[in-house]
Amino acid sequence: MPKFFVPPEQIYDDEILILGEDAQHITRSLRMRVGDQLLICNMNKRDYECHIASMDGKVVKAEIINSFPSVTEPEYKIIVYQCLPKSEKMDVIVQKSVELGATSIVPVISSRCIPQLDKKAREKRSERFNRIAYEAAKQCGRGIVPRVEECIDYATALENAQSDSITFICYENEHNQSLKGLLSVNKAISSVSFFVGPEGGFSREEIDLATEMGIPTVSLGTRILRTETASPFVLSAISLMREMK
Ligand code: SAH
């Protein structure tokens, strides 16, 4: 059943209005008809099973049959702090992170990131990342649309992440603490934040700064993963260890 995100103000007691591009998509591309079923999400973890009551090309009215909490949302927040790689790689990281359950993605500027764009280009890129996140969320049936936040510098990112239930830095030179070890510690978690370095990795100073702040480094195994592989690996591992029955 196709799924659409609709802002809460278009959701009434027994019907939902779908406007704009989505209405066109339902009518023209999907060629749906009155009576066809669809799933609508209020972008805040609630899904509505509906059928189409009427459509006139611009507005699709969907009648609510049933509503229930989105089953696709993890019970805790997961924030991916990704040090900016080359642009196409970030596209993939955003898409895969959304599919794999991230709540938000924060692009981070660390010392080995490739020199950054000017303000206008950054804004354009941010719109693009958020568009990718929206499409991915819709495609995989999320109950929220994860945000790709504004870029921040590494030290600020560490401070922001410090107070989460679990915070860690993925570091290939860590040989004692593994991701599995850290996630196996049986504690209730409400939020997980983790950092992935850019193509050139983290500098020694950056790792030292995290250590001083009490943020541990973890290993993702014996193989060195590319930056775009690390976040999907971590999110999959969290899902496997904490979400799957
Ligand atoms: N500096 C390295 C590799 C960087 S890999 C080099 O050039 O050889 C990019 C990022 O992915 C790293 O900064 C780290 O955050 C993560 N990463 C990759 N493999 C990892 C591993 N085995 N354990 C932990 N983190 C890893």
Short mmCIF file of all heavy atoms in Angstrom, two decimals, residues 82 112 169-174 195-202 218-228 230, ligand 1:
data_model
loop_
_atom_site.label_atom_id
_atom_site.label_comp_id
_atom_site.label_asym_id
_atom_site.label_seq_id
_atom_site.Cartn_x
_atom_site.Cartn_y
_atom_site.Cartn_z
N GLN A 82 27.97 12.67 11.20
CA GLN A 82 28.79 12.22 10.08
C GLN A 82 29.72 13.35 9.64
O GLN A 82 29.26 14.39 9.17
CB GLN A 82 27.89 11.80 8.91
CG GLN A 82 28.61 11.50 7.62
CD GLN A 82 29.48 10.25 7.68
OE1 GLN A 82 29.02 9.18 8.08
NE2 GLN A 82 30.74 10.35 7.27
N ARG A 112 39.93 16.80 8.93
CA ARG A 112 40.30 16.19 7.64
C ARG A 112 39.18 16.21 6.60
O ARG A 112 39.26 15.49 5.60
CB ARG A 112 40.79 14.76 7.87
CG ARG A 112 42.08 14.75 8.68
CD ARG A 112 42.67 13.36 8.76
NE ARG A 112 43.80 13.35 9.65
CZ ARG A 112 44.25 12.27 10.28
NH1 ARG A 112 43.63 11.11 10.13
NH2 ARG A 112 45.30 12.34 11.07
N ILE A 169 32.52 7.21 19.44
CA ILE A 169 33.20 7.59 18.20
C ILE A 169 33.68 6.31 17.53
O ILE A 169 34.35 5.49 18.18
CB ILE A 169 34.48 8.41 18.53
CG1 ILE A 169 34.20 9.50 19.55
CG2 ILE A 169 35.19 8.90 17.27
CD1 ILE A 169 33.98 10.84 18.98
N CYS A 170 33.38 6.14 16.28
CA CYS A 170 33.88 4.97 15.55
C CYS A 170 35.33 5.26 15.17
O CYS A 170 35.61 6.24 14.48
CB CYS A 170 33.06 4.73 14.28
SG CYS A 170 31.33 4.50 14.63
N TYR A 171 36.22 4.39 15.65
CA TYR A 171 37.65 4.66 15.45
C TYR A 171 38.38 3.36 15.13
O TYR A 171 38.38 2.41 15.95
CB TYR A 171 38.21 5.31 16.72
CG TYR A 171 39.62 5.81 16.58
CD1 TYR A 171 40.04 6.51 15.45
CD2 TYR A 171 40.55 5.60 17.61
CE1 TYR A 171 41.34 6.99 15.33
CE2 TYR A 171 41.85 6.09 17.51
CZ TYR A 171 42.24 6.77 16.37
OH TYR A 171 43.53 7.24 16.26
N GLU A 172 38.97 3.31 13.96
CA GLU A 172 39.56 2.06 13.49
C GLU A 172 40.80 1.64 14.29
O GLU A 172 41.20 0.48 14.26
CB GLU A 172 39.88 2.15 11.98
CG GLU A 172 40.84 3.24 11.55
CD GLU A 172 40.25 4.65 11.51
OE1 GLU A 172 39.08 4.83 11.92
OE2 GLU A 172 40.97 5.58 11.09
N ASN A 173 41.41 2.58 15.04
CA ASN A 173 42.59 2.22 15.84
C ASN A 173 42.23 1.80 17.26
O ASN A 173 43.11 1.58 18.09
CB ASN A 173 43.58 3.39 15.90
CG ASN A 173 44.12 3.69 14.52
OD1 ASN A 173 44.30 2.78 13.70
ND2 ASN A 173 44.35 4.96 14.22
N GLU A 174 40.95 1.68 17.54
CA GLU A 174 40.52 1.18 18.84
C GLU A 174 40.51 -0.36 18.76
O GLU A 174 39.85 -0.92 17.88
CB GLU A 174 39.11 1.71 19.16
CG GLU A 174 38.44 1.08 20.35
CD GLU A 174 39.20 1.29 21.64
OE1 GLU A 174 39.48 2.46 21.97
OE2 GLU A 174 39.52 0.30 22.31
N PHE A 195 29.67 9.01 16.12
CA PHE A 195 30.46 9.81 15.17
C PHE A 195 31.20 8.92 14.19
O PHE A 195 31.78 7.92 14.58
CB PHE A 195 31.52 10.63 15.93
CG PHE A 195 30.94 11.78 16.70
CD1 PHE A 195 30.23 11.57 17.88
CD2 PHE A 195 31.10 13.08 16.24
CE1 PHE A 195 29.68 12.64 18.57
CE2 PHE A 195 30.56 14.16 16.93
CZ PHE A 195 29.84 13.93 18.11
N VAL A 196 31.15 9.33 12.93
CA VAL A 196 31.93 8.65 11.89
C VAL A 196 32.83 9.69 11.24
O VAL A 196 32.39 10.80 10.91
CB VAL A 196 31.00 8.01 10.83
CG1 VAL A 196 31.81 7.42 9.69
CG2 VAL A 196 30.09 6.96 11.46
N GLY A 197 34.10 9.33 11.06
CA GLY A 197 35.06 10.27 10.48
C GLY A 197 34.90 10.41 8.97
O GLY A 197 34.18 9.62 8.33
N PRO A 198 35.57 11.38 8.37
CA PRO A 198 35.54 11.54 6.91
C PRO A 198 36.49 10.52 6.26
O PRO A 198 37.05 9.67 6.97
CB PRO A 198 36.06 12.97 6.72
CG PRO A 198 36.99 13.17 7.86
CD PRO A 198 36.46 12.35 9.02
N GLU A 199 36.69 10.62 4.96
CA GLU A 199 37.54 9.65 4.25
C GLU A 199 38.91 9.49 4.91
O GLU A 199 39.44 8.39 5.00
CB GLU A 199 37.77 10.08 2.79
CG GLU A 199 36.56 9.97 1.88
CD GLU A 199 35.74 11.24 1.81
OE1 GLU A 199 35.83 12.08 2.73
OE2 GLU A 199 34.99 11.40 0.82
N GLY A 200 39.47 10.59 5.38
CA GLY A 200 40.82 10.54 5.97
C GLY A 200 40.81 10.20 7.46
O GLY A 200 41.87 10.18 8.11
N GLY A 201 39.67 9.93 8.04
CA GLY A 201 39.57 9.55 9.45
C GLY A 201 39.70 10.72 10.41
O GLY A 201 39.71 11.88 10.01
N PHE A 202 39.76 10.40 11.71
CA PHE A 202 39.93 11.41 12.76
C PHE A 202 41.42 11.61 13.04
O PHE A 202 42.20 10.67 12.93
CB PHE A 202 39.25 10.96 14.05
CG PHE A 202 37.74 10.98 13.97
CD1 PHE A 202 37.02 9.79 13.99
CD2 PHE A 202 37.05 12.19 13.89
CE1 PHE A 202 35.63 9.80 13.93
CE2 PHE A 202 35.66 12.21 13.81
CZ PHE A 202 34.95 11.02 13.84
N VAL A 218 35.02 3.27 19.71
CA VAL A 218 34.70 1.85 19.53
C VAL A 218 35.20 1.36 18.18
O VAL A 218 35.33 2.12 17.23
CB VAL A 218 33.18 1.53 19.63
CG1 VAL A 218 32.58 2.00 20.92
CG2 VAL A 218 32.41 2.05 18.43
N SER A 219 35.43 0.04 18.14
CA SER A 219 35.86 -0.62 16.90
C SER A 219 34.64 -1.22 16.22
O SER A 219 33.73 -1.74 16.87
CB SER A 219 36.85 -1.72 17.26
OG SER A 219 36.90 -2.65 16.21
N LEU A 220 34.64 -1.15 14.90
CA LEU A 220 33.58 -1.81 14.11
C LEU A 220 34.12 -3.10 13.49
O LEU A 220 33.61 -3.57 12.48
CB LEU A 220 33.06 -0.87 13.01
CG LEU A 220 32.59 0.52 13.45
CD1 LEU A 220 32.09 1.31 12.25
CD2 LEU A 220 31.50 0.43 14.51
N GLY A 221 35.18 -3.64 14.07
CA GLY A 221 35.74 -4.90 13.56
C GLY A 221 37.11 -4.69 12.97
O GLY A 221 37.64 -3.58 12.95
N THR A 222 37.67 -5.76 12.43
CA THR A 222 39.07 -5.74 12.01
C THR A 222 39.28 -5.08 10.65
O THR A 222 40.39 -4.70 10.30
CB THR A 222 39.62 -7.17 11.92
OG1 THR A 222 38.67 -7.94 11.17
CG2 THR A 222 39.81 -7.79 13.30
N ARG A 223 38.23 -4.96 9.88
CA ARG A 223 38.38 -4.35 8.55
C ARG A 223 38.13 -2.85 8.61
O ARG A 223 37.27 -2.39 9.35
CB ARG A 223 37.39 -4.99 7.57
CG ARG A 223 37.73 -6.43 7.25
CD ARG A 223 36.66 -7.08 6.40
NE ARG A 223 35.42 -7.29 7.16
CZ ARG A 223 35.18 -8.36 7.91
NH1 ARG A 223 36.08 -9.31 8.02
NH2 ARG A 223 34.04 -8.48 8.57
N ILE A 224 38.88 -2.10 7.80
CA ILE A 224 38.65 -0.66 7.75
C ILE A 224 37.54 -0.39 6.74
O ILE A 224 37.67 -0.73 5.56
CB ILE A 224 39.94 0.10 7.40
CG1 ILE A 224 40.94 -0.13 8.53
CG2 ILE A 224 39.66 1.60 7.21
CD1 ILE A 224 42.20 0.66 8.44
N LEU A 225 36.48 0.18 7.23
CA LEU A 225 35.32 0.45 6.36
C LEU A 225 35.46 1.83 5.75
O LEU A 225 36.05 2.73 6.34
CB LEU A 225 34.04 0.39 7.20
CG LEU A 225 33.86 -0.85 8.07
CD1 LEU A 225 32.58 -0.74 8.88
CD2 LEU A 225 33.84 -2.11 7.22
N ARG A 226 34.86 2.01 4.59
CA ARG A 226 34.81 3.35 4.03
C ARG A 226 33.83 4.16 4.86
O ARG A 226 32.91 3.61 5.47
CB ARG A 226 34.31 3.28 2.60
CG ARG A 226 35.36 2.71 1.68
CD ARG A 226 34.94 2.92 0.26
NE ARG A 226 35.96 2.36 -0.59
CZ ARG A 226 36.40 2.94 -1.69
NH1 ARG A 226 35.90 4.10 -2.06
NH2 ARG A 226 37.32 2.38 -2.41
N THR A 227 34.02 5.48 4.80
CA THR A 227 33.16 6.33 5.63
C THR A 227 31.68 6.09 5.36
O THR A 227 30.86 6.08 6.28
CB THR A 227 33.56 7.83 5.49
OG1 THR A 227 32.72 8.59 6.34
CG2 THR A 227 33.44 8.34 4.06
N GLU A 228 31.31 5.82 4.11
CA GLU A 228 29.88 5.63 3.80
C GLU A 228 29.36 4.26 4.23
O GLU A 228 28.15 4.01 4.22
CB GLU A 228 29.60 5.89 2.32
CG GLU A 228 30.17 4.89 1.34
CD GLU A 228 31.61 5.22 0.89
OE1 GLU A 228 32.37 5.82 1.68
OE2 GLU A 228 31.96 4.85 -0.25
N ALA A 230 30.34 2.94 7.29
CA ALA A 230 30.36 2.89 8.75
C ALA A 230 28.98 3.14 9.38
O ALA A 230 28.53 2.37 10.24
CB ALA A 230 31.40 3.87 9.29
N1 SAH B 1 41.87 6.96 8.45
C1 SAH B 1 41.64 5.72 7.87
C2 SAH B 1 40.19 5.27 7.58
C3 SAH B 1 39.07 6.22 7.69
S1 SAH B 1 37.61 5.33 7.48
C4 SAH B 1 42.44 5.54 6.65
O1 SAH B 1 42.43 6.42 5.78
O2 SAH B 1 43.06 4.49 6.59
C5 SAH B 1 36.38 6.53 7.79
C6 SAH B 1 35.71 6.42 9.14
O3 SAH B 1 34.96 5.23 9.23
C7 SAH B 1 36.64 6.41 10.32
O4 SAH B 1 37.02 7.71 10.72
C8 SAH B 1 35.80 5.73 11.39
O5 SAH B 1 34.92 6.65 11.99
C9 SAH B 1 34.99 4.73 10.58
N2 SAH B 1 35.59 3.39 10.55
C10 SAH B 1 35.96 2.70 9.46
N3 SAH B 1 36.40 1.46 9.78
C11 SAH B 1 36.27 1.34 11.12
C12 SAH B 1 36.54 0.30 12.06
N4 SAH B 1 37.00 -0.87 11.70
N5 SAH B 1 36.28 0.57 13.35
C13 SAH B 1 35.79 1.74 13.75
N6 SAH B 1 35.52 2.76 12.92
C14 SAH B 1 35.75 2.58 11.62
#
